[in-house]
Amino acid sequence: MNERDYEEGGPSPGDGIPRESSPFINNDSMERGNIYEGKNMALFEEEMDSNPMVSSLLNKLANYTNVTQGVVEHEEDEDSKRKEIKAPRMGTFIGVYLPCLQNILGVILFLRLTWIVGTAGVLESFIIVFMCCSGTLLTAISMSAIATNGVVPAGGSYYMISRSLGPEFGGAVGICFYLGTTFAGAMYILGTIEILLKYISPNAAIFEGGEEAMLNNMRVYGTCILALMALVVFVGVKYVNKLALVFLACVILSIFAIYAGVIKTAFEPPVFPVCLLGNRTLVRGTEFPCVKYYEENNMTVTTKLWENFCGSPLLNASCDEYFILNNVTEIQGIPGVASGVLLDNLWSVYGDKFTIVEKQDQPSVPVLEETDAKIKFYVYSDIMTYFTMLVGIYFPSVTGIMAGSNRSGDLRDAQKAIPTGTIMAILTTSFIYLSCIVLFGACIEGVVLRDKFGQAVNGNLVIGTLAWPSPWVIVIGSFFSTCGAGLQSLTGAPRLLQAIARDGIVPFLQVFGHGKANGEPTWALLLTALICEIGILIASLDSVAPILSMFFLMCYLFVNLACAVQTLLRTPNWRPRFKYYHWTLSFLGMSLCLALMFICSWYYALVAMLIAGCIYKYIEYRGAEKEWGDGIRGLSLNAARYALLRVEQGPPHTKNWRPQVLVLLNLDSEQVVKHPRLLSFTSQLKAGKGLTIVGSVLPGIYLDKFTEAQRAEENIRSLMGAERTKGFCQIVVSSTVRDGISHLIQSAGLGGMKHNTVLMAWPQSWKHTDNPFSWKNFVDTVRETTAAQQALLVAKNIDSFPTNQERFSEGNIDVWWIVHDGGMLMLLPFLLRQHKVWRKCKMRIFTVAQMDDNSIQMKKDLQMFLYHLRINAEVEVVEMFENDISAFTYEKTLVMEQRSQMLKQMQLSKNEREREIQSITDESRGSIRKKSRSSPQCIGQDVDNLLPNDIQEEEAQLIHDRNTASRSTGMVKSHTAVATPDKIQMTWTKEKLISEKHKNKEACLSSYKDIFSMKPNQSNVRRMHTAVKLNGVVLNKSQHAQLVLLNMPGPPKNRHGDENYMEFLEVLTEGLNRVLLVRGGGREVITIYS
């Protein structure tokens, strides 16, 4: 498998799933004829299209060959377009151990390790190296577990992390790893230039002078070498691959030269004298006598040293005070392993920038005032040194542990070779580093160790002074080693970027997935060279090292996290062959990597995290949807399960209540949503909070409608994405639409995460004769939401509702509070006004009072109530005619009592009627409910219709006197819609009246036949008249409102009145532009308490 396989690729034959989900390793299509060879398996032949026989599966696995990866693949592609690919033959040693060794041992070992030992001391250096090596060892254990849990294609760590932690983490960490590899290339190039200009050819410097000139030299030469290396990589990667063995030989030879030199110092230390003035180390050239003056032919001759500090070779010249007061001494720079110098080098010697390197126990005479003019003749530190900074500089020397996993396709047995080779390489290099620290401290004088550029030892590489047979072995070896490492970084980084780009998870990187005809990532190489140039322009190896430390540490942190998550989740697919891992080790490795990030540089760590976080959020919002079966998804599922189990089954506290909405959508014949504005309104109401379930019903049988259901779900999901409605989609295929809606209302949601509110559109075509079921389904839905104690929102004229892009600059949201339904009417405008569309609208609340009520007091009470609710709204009390309220009360009495005595007294005088009403109102609501249940349900409406349970309980506390009683019963007017003026306009035809009589006759008991045959008609007429009157009041006040919220009365239980109920709602809302009918769910949803 090569980098091109990063695309999800074509589906496997017959199963239609990506190759990562398939049990097959190669997805070559099977011959159709082979499937049916086993005729004795005829019982299963219908399944063989999608489920292959075990014999053919095993045959494919046995004949598995993997395309060799990386540079080898491109090399073969250049040499011969389609050669027979040989089976990979590399074992653990050649395939994993040596590449890891070569990547880990590098520029820091040769150029900085001696300086770190001298500055931090042997003990603290040992701690630095031990911490870094422990971090990489723990990471390698985690990486081994992930790498042996299936086949790892090219891309190495990126592939492992992205498939374990998902595309968001994978993309973020992949780009961090890419940046780390790219900056590593810059660091290796800077190391190459430093070796060239300091130790091989100092005369090649273009700029002469101090520190800034050296940095400019690094920039010029670095840019040239970068261009040259990029050209080599572009022209032919195969040359880099063939030179890899040479570079590896240089590294190993250099290591052996160091150990040989250490052994030689035990009995014959090399001669590298160091010149001290007092206790200060002097810069020394090749011909530089370490004396102030000497006698020659009875004459005193001053030396170059005298001239440096006195400005003149004359003996009577004015000299530097420190130079006069202190003597010059010469000590041995490499005293040898048996000299006991180790004790002097145990402790740290940190200092500020321009601190002169001094020998601790050497006598010296201090001076009071000193100029900086003579500092150039001393060896001094070019940067401020402290423990955490040294950790950042050292850490890049332990990176490179991914080299083996990156080559998994070239290995004979990757699942055995990767863990063994990587861990052995880390143990080997850790031993080399730790032993070198002790040996450097035991062999080399402290002032030489702290001399970063070897100025005290004739400009030699400090580690080179120790080597045997010659310092040039190390100089040449390290030069080729750093060159090779730089080339490999410039080869590997573009391929990593290409792998990320071809995965398609970061849209703006897709251009870097293309390259030359043979797959060479040309554009990715160009970007890599540009980023690498940024590192070279920094020009200081000590400044670049902490940057790449951050990116590598972040990558290792997520490798450990991936292993820990997979282990703790115990996913069925987590079956690594490498058994010596544990989630505690992964967690420890993760913690260590995080600690090292902040130890190295807290501000670099924050910047690296910010970059990773930005990439994560970008992929989350704009990236391609990928399902890789990753651990974060498994973690989300576990967290969701845990949270669902913790959420109580009972209803939430009033303070926590928010509408959890089930949106019922209608689809046309093409499974396209009829009213997309319903989703716009949902997102405005929800603002991404709480639960949203978008449901729809397809009539038919599931087996026949499976594809239509899938298409409908895709259409709804795409619309939800366009409307930014965050929620779940649920399509139900049912024999009838009514049953399907009932199933959704009953079963949508899971556990405590169930909907408590149903949102639907008003059926505009309910009057059409060709669609007799739409209004029946609607009324049944209203009934079922009431039965389920769920709130119901019905949006009328939904197509005129605003989109999410519209903004109302002014206007009102008017609430007509006829009955108390738990506070839904108060809460909904408040939630809507949180959204940008409705933010500038004002909220107005209207309530209805009887003529003899104290309207002013009602208004004050309502304002106080809203004040306690912390809701800003204008309040208005609308007065209705008394006969409307009285007629309503009379009708309510009829239905509630259902007594034959009352039915006989239809012509009572007004005073008697009021006395009867008062006596009934004072009775217990429970007894009323009980009587209404025991009475025959013959009249066209019922107690629940006129006074739902929640309203009964609320009003039972509100009735204190007659006025209050009549007002609170009056507030239920919208539910029951009653009015009995003395003159009733008959708007019904004779035929309809007769049909209604017959319906009621069939429904009622024979003993009530004469009475019930007439009354429902008069009741319906009165209800219609009330609807007209109430509609007139609402139109008068709210015709120009942006949105009107109204209490929605419930339908009669006797289904013969359903059509009249629809007509009543139609008349009630006639002439209003946008209406939201609200029916409470039977519980308080808003509270005055904190």
Side-chain angles (χ1 to χ4, degrees):
M1 220 176 279
N2 55 34
E3 286 90 358
R4 295 179 202 135
D5 292 334
Y6 265 95
E7 296 159 283
E8 289 276 333
S12 308
D15 56 8
I17 51 177
R19 60 167 52 94
E20 286 146 12
S21 308
S22 170
F24 300 110
I25 299 179
N26 4 343
N27 285 322
D28 304 323
S29 24
M30 291 189 290
E31 294 291 332
R32 279 280 169 195
N34 294 344
I35 301 175
Y36 299 106
E37 279 179 1
K39 290 297 180 186
N40 56 342
M41 287 293 156
L43 178 63
F44 295 96
E45 65 184 14
E46 288 189 6
E47 295 185 27
M48 290 184 190
D49 284 338
S50 56
N51 301 333
M53 291 294 294
V54 172
S55 55
S56 61
L57 170 65
L58 295 175
N59 185 43
K60 287 167 73 68
L61 288 171
N63 295 332
Y64 163 60
T65 58
N66 197 351
V67 179
T68 48
Q69 295 164 324
V71 293
V72 181
E73 169 225 339
H74 299 299
E75 179 186 328
E76 288 180 352
D77 200 55
E78 283 179 358
D79 292 345
S80 60
K81 289 297 175 188
R82 294 302 296 169
K83 272 189 180 178
E84 188 67 32
I85 299 169
K86 295 179 182 178
R89 296 190 179 280
M90 280 197 281
T92 304
F93 186 74
I94 299 292
V96 181
Y97 181 76
L98 290 180
C100 282
L101 208 66
Q102 181 187 353
N103 277 267
I104 295 170
L105 298 170
V107 63
I108 301 293
L109 170 67
F110 300 121
L111 295 183
R112 292 290 181 270
L113 192 59
T114 52
W115 173 71
I116 290 171
V117 173
T119 307
V122 172
L123 293 179
E124 287 184 31
S125 301
F126 199 90
I127 291 169
I128 291 172
V129 174
F130 184 77
M131 273 200 310
C132 295
C133 290
S134 299
T136 53
L137 181 63
L138 292 168
T139 304
I141 291 170
S142 300
M143 186 197 74
S144 300
I146 298 170
T148 57
N149 188 50
V151 178
V152 179
S157 59
Y158 161 69
Y159 185 93
M160 288 190 293
I161 294 167
S162 61
R163 269 51 175 184
S164 296
L165 291 180
E168 292 89 359
F169 277 112
V173 178
I175 290 173
C176 281
F177 192 49
Y178 163 74
L179 291 171
T181 310
T182 307
F183 274 105
M187 185 186 75
Y188 290 131
I189 292 170
L190 290 173
T192 305
I193 306 301
E194 188 174 305
I195 293 166
L196 178 70
L197 294 181
K198 289 278 186 184
Y199 309 114
I200 295 177
S201 178
N203 297 326
I206 299 169
F207 302 96
E208 297 292 339
E211 187 182 346
E212 192 57 41
M214 182 61 189
L215 293 179
N216 288 331
N217 284 324
M218 301 280 269
R219 291 181 182 114
V220 172
Y221 275 99
T223 305
C224 295
I225 289 189
L226 173 63
L228 187 66
M229 284 184 173
L231 189 65
V232 170
V233 172
F234 177 75
V235 170
V237 184
K238 57 183 179 181
Y239 303 116
V240 179
N241 200 43
K242 286 174 179 174
L243 286 170
L245 201 61
V246 177
F247 300 142
L248 179 61
C250 290
V251 173
I252 293 171
L253 192 65
S254 300
I255 299 293
F256 280 123
I258 292 167
Y259 281 112
V262 168
I263 294 166
K264 185 174 178 291
T265 61
F267 50 87
E268 189 184 337
V271 179
F272 280 101
V274 176
C275 194
L276 300 177
L277 175 61
N279 63 354
R280 299 178 179 180
T281 312
L282 294 169
V283 174
R284 186 171 189 177
T286 48
E287 296 177 1
F288 191 94
C290 190
V291 288
K292 294 181 181 180
Y293 48 84
Y294 57 93
E295 296 289 331
E296 186 179 278
N297 300 327
N298 295 326
M299 289 180 64
T300 303
V301 180
T302 56
T303 61
K304 179 72 174 172
L305 187 62
W306 181 281
E307 191 175 330
N308 288 343
F309 283 93
C310 300
S312 165
L314 301 175
L315 282 169
N316 60 353
S318 175
C319 294
D320 181 73
E321 187 181 356
Y322 187 86
F323 181 73
I324 296 167
L325 294 175
N326 289 277
N327 294 323
V328 177
T329 52
E330 191 174 62
I331 59 168
Q332 187 59 31
I334 313 285
V337 75
S339 64
V341 75
L342 178 64
L343 295 173
D344 297 333
N345 293 330
L346 279 178
W347 311 109
S348 59
V349 186
Y350 299 120
D352 292 330
K353 191 175 182 179
F354 302 121
T355 301
I356 297 170
V357 175
E358 298 176 343
K359 184 168 169 55
Q360 300 293 327
D361 54 354
Q362 191 77 7
S364 115
V365 180
V367 291
L368 295 175
E369 292 184 10
E370 195 169 12
T371 59
D372 291 337
K374 305 299 181 186
I375 195 171
K376 62 183 178 181
F377 304 119
Y378 297 113
V379 176
Y380 60 90
S381 59
D382 60 339
I383 55 172
M384 182 180 177
T385 53
Y386 43 92
F387 179 79
T388 56
M389 186 267 288
L390 295 180
V391 176
I393 292 174
Y394 172 75
F395 188 81
S397 64
V398 295
T399 59
I401 61 172
M402 301 290 183
S405 62
N406 289 352
R407 298 168 178 233
S408 59
D410 300 338
L411 304 171
R412 192 183 302 122
D413 182 3
Q415 302 205 353
K416 181 183 175 185
I418 289 175
T420 311
T422 306
I423 291 172
M424 288 304 296
I426 290 173
L427 291 174
T428 306
T429 51
S430 299
F431 172 77
I432 290 170
Y433 283 131
L434 291 169
S435 61
C436 279
I437 284 171
V438 177
L439 295 174
F440 291 165
C443 294
I444 306 175
E445 183 59 56
V447 290
V448 179
L449 286 173
R450 290 192 291 281
D451 180 6
K452 187 188 288 186
F453 302 113
Q455 293 166 300
V457 283
N458 305 334
N460 277 301
L461 182 61
V462 174
I463 198 170
T465 59
L466 188 62
W468 181 87
S470 164
W472 284 101
V473 175
I474 296 284
V475 171
I476 301 298
S478 60
F479 179 77
F480 281 114
S481 168
T482 48
C483 267
L487 274 172
Q488 286 189 329
S489 294
L490 286 179
T491 307
R495 275 167 182 70
L496 181 59
L497 183 62
Q498 189 181 42
I500 297 168
R502 286 185 171 180
D503 255 349
I505 57 171
V506 186
F508 70 83
L509 288 181
Q510 287 186 345
V511 65
F512 299 109
H514 309 296
K516 290 198 289 187
N518 64 347
E520 281 292 328
T522 313
W523 293 108
L525 176 63
L526 186 63
L527 180 68
T528 304
L530 289 173
I531 296 172
C532 205
E533 178 64 18
I534 295 170
I536 284 166
L537 291 176
I538 294 172
S540 168
L541 188 126
D542 301 322
S543 301
V544 173
I547 297 173
L548 66 106
S549 294
M550 287 306 122
F551 291 124
F552 278 120
L553 277 165
M554 184 164 284
C555 178
Y556 295 165
L557 184 149
F558 280 104
V559 170
N560 284 302
L561 176 64
C563 182
V565 165
Q566 296 277 37
T567 309
L568 287 171
L569 287 178
R570 297 191 181 95
T571 47
N573 191 51
W574 180 247
R575 305 185 297 273
R577 286 192 176 279
F578 180 76
K579 299 297 181 188
Y580 306 103
Y581 69 92
H582 194 266
W583 69 268
T584 50
L585 293 176
S586 301
F587 190 77
L588 184 64
M590 185 176 72
S591 306
L592 192 56
C593 288
L594 187 65
L596 283 170
M597 282 177 73
F598 282 93
I599 286 170
C600 293
S601 170
W602 64 268
Y603 46 90
Y604 277 162
L606 291 177
V607 170
M609 286 178 166
L610 184 66
I611 291 170
C614 290
I615 298 164
Y616 178 95
K617 296 307 286 184
Y618 177 81
I619 296 171
E620 189 177 50
Y621 281 107
R622 297 297 304 273
E625 287 289 330
K626 299 282 182 181
E627 177 48 71
W628 286 331
D630 52 84
I632 291 297
R633 184 170 175 79
L635 190 64
S636 302
L637 288 170
N638 262 22
R641 173 183 164 276
Y642 175 76
L644 280 171
L645 290 173
R646 289 205 36 128
V647 173
E648 294 178 11
Q649 288 289 340
H653 191 274
T654 304
K655 287 187 283 188
N656 298 329
W657 196 95
R658 66 166 62 246
Q660 317 284 16
V661 181
L662 168 63
V663 186
L664 296 178
L665 293 179
N666 288 330
L667 304 176
D668 60 17
S669 57
E670 298 297 318
Q671 280 74 52
V672 176
V673 177
K674 283 185 182 177
H675 303 295
R677 295 287 175 89
L678 208 54
L679 286 180
S680 306
F681 183 70
T682 306
S683 59
Q684 291 159 25
L685 182 65
K686 300 289 290 177
K689 304 291 191 300
L691 175 72
T692 303
I693 302 172
V694 181
S696 190
V697 179
L698 294 180
I701 300 169
Y702 183 65
L703 290 176
D704 300 335
K705 296 278 187 176
F706 175 70
T707 52
E708 285 93 333
Q710 279 191 320
R711 187 161 67 247
E713 187 168 351
E714 286 171 12
N715 291 342
I716 290 175
R717 284 192 190 282
S718 63
L719 184 62
M720 287 171 71
E723 296 292 345
R724 295 187 178 179
T725 306
K726 293 188 177 181
F728 307 100
C729 179
Q730 193 165 348
I731 303 293
V732 171
V733 181
S734 180
S735 54
T736 64
V737 173
R738 185 201 175 290
D739 288 347
I741 292 174
S742 178
H743 298 155
L744 274 174
I745 289 172
Q746 292 176 64
S747 61
L750 181 64
M753 285 294 284
K754 288 183 73 71
H755 62 278
N756 55 28
T757 306
V758 177
L759 172 62
M760 60 191 299
W762 172 261
Q764 300 287 2
S765 60
W766 72 272
K767 290 185 180 180
H768 296 180
T769 54
D770 59 342
N771 190 12
F773 294 108
S774 68
W775 61 269
K776 290 183 179 177
N777 292 337
F778 174 81
V779 178
D780 284 336
T781 304
V782 177
R783 286 195 175 98
E784 280 167 358
T785 53
T786 305
Q789 292 188 320
Q790 293 171 5
L792 177 66
L793 309 178
V794 179
K796 195 173 179 200
N797 304 326
I798 185 63
D799 294 327
S800 67
F801 274 60
T803 63
N804 289 330
Q805 285 70 42
E806 292 180 45
R807 302 285 183 269
F808 288 134
S809 57
E810 58 181 2
N812 298 311
I813 299 175
D814 285 358
V815 177
W816 283 83
W817 194 24
I818 311 297
V819 297
H820 180 62
D821 58 355
M824 277 285 285
L825 281 169
M826 308 292 169
L827 190 61
L828 292 174
F830 171 77
L831 294 174
L832 279 175
R833 289 179 66 223
Q834 308 300 307
H835 196 273
K836 293 176 183 175
V837 174
W838 305 93
R839 189 164 291 163
K840 293 185 179 177
C841 292
K842 294 179 180 176
M843 183 174 163
R844 298 192 301 179
I845 295 181
F846 298 89
T847 190
V848 180
Q850 201 174 2
M851 290 293 283
D852 55 357
D853 278 337
N854 187 343
S855 302
I856 298 169
Q857 187 60 40
M858 278 182 71
K859 187 171 183 177
K860 285 182 180 177
D861 291 344
L862 185 53
Q863 284 172 336
M864 183 57 67
F865 181 54
L866 291 174
Y867 174 77
H868 286 309
L869 287 176
R870 291 92 63 205
I871 290 176
N872 296 320
E874 293 179 26
V875 173
E876 193 168 335
V877 178
V878 178
E879 296 179 342
M880 299 284 284
F881 293 114
E882 186 180 351
N883 60 352
D884 289 345
I885 301 292
S886 300
F888 157 71
T889 313
Y890 170 57
E891 176 124 2
K892 175 169 175 287
T893 307
L894 276 175
V895 178
M896 284 169 58
E897 291 301 303
Q898 296 182 0
R899 293 198 304 235
S900 58
Q901 294 93 328
M902 188 163 284
L903 291 171
K904 291 172 186 174
Q905 296 174 3
M906 292 300 292
Q907 306 303 321
L908 287 179
S909 67
K910 183 178 178 182
N911 290 336
E912 289 171 323
R913 197 158 61 222
E914 285 185 357
R915 282 201 299 273
E916 185 71 8
I917 291 160
Q918 187 60 45
S919 66
I920 290 163
T921 313
D922 290 340
E923 287 178 20
S924 161
R925 299 299 167 105
S927 66
I928 291 169
R929 194 180 300 137
K930 186 177 175 183
K931 288 177 189 177
S932 67
R933 282 179 187 154
S934 60
S935 302
Q937 302 296 312
C938 302
I939 300 177
Q941 41 199 314
D942 69 323
V943 177
D944 181 62
N945 164 39
L946 295 169
L947 195 66
N949 297 342
D950 56 307
I951 300 164
Q952 294 170 12
E953 290 160 10
E954 284 294 319
E955 287 183 358
Q957 300 165 19
L958 294 173
I959 298 169
H960 301 299
D961 55 23
R962 179 175 170 182
N963 282 347
T964 316
S966 58
R967 172 162 58 90
S968 51
T969 50
M971 288 169 70
V972 196
K973 185 161 66 65
S974 158
H975 259 275
T976 51
V978 210
T980 46
D982 295 330
K983 294 180 179 180
I984 297 171
Q985 291 183 331
M986 297 295 288
T987 57
W988 291 27
T989 62
K990 186 178 180 182
E991 291 77 16
K992 188 161 186 178
L993 188 64
I994 291 165
S995 68
E996 285 293 315
K997 287 180 183 179
H998 283 301
K999 285 180 185 177
N1000 284 283
K1001 281 178 186 176
E1002 293 165 10
C1004 296
L1005 299 173
S1006 58
S1007 59
Y1008 295 98
K1009 183 166 63 177
D1010 294 330
I1011 298 167
F1012 284 105
S1013 64
M1014 290 301 295
K1015 287 305 167 189
N1017 294 328
Q1018 294 178 10
S1019 167
N1020 286 334
V1021 171
R1022 289 197 301 274
R1023 293 168 74 199
M1024 195 57 64
H1025 184 70
T1026 303
V1028 173
K1029 295 279 288 180
L1030 191 57
N1031 176 254
V1033 175
V1034 174
L1035 270 179
N1036 183 37
K1037 298 287 186 182
S1038 303
Q1039 187 167 15
H1040 301 294
Q1042 302 291 8
L1043 181 64
V1044 176
L1045 283 83
L1046 269 168
N1047 281 116
M1048 181 180 181
K1053 275 192 178 176
N1054 188 338
R1055 295 168 185 269
H1056 299 302
D1058 286 359
E1059 198 168 350
N1060 304 330
Y1061 172 71
M1062 297 295 290
E1063 189 72 49
F1064 160 60
L1065 290 180
E1066 188 76 68
V1067 171
L1068 181 64
T1069 56
E1070 195 173 358
L1072 296 170
N1073 184 21
R1074 301 183 192 92
V1075 184
L1076 189 66
L1077 293 168
V1078 180
R1079 184 160 168 76
R1083 59 159 294 143
E1084 288 294 328
V1085 301
I1086 195 164
T1087 177
I1088 64 173
Y1089 299 106
S1090 61

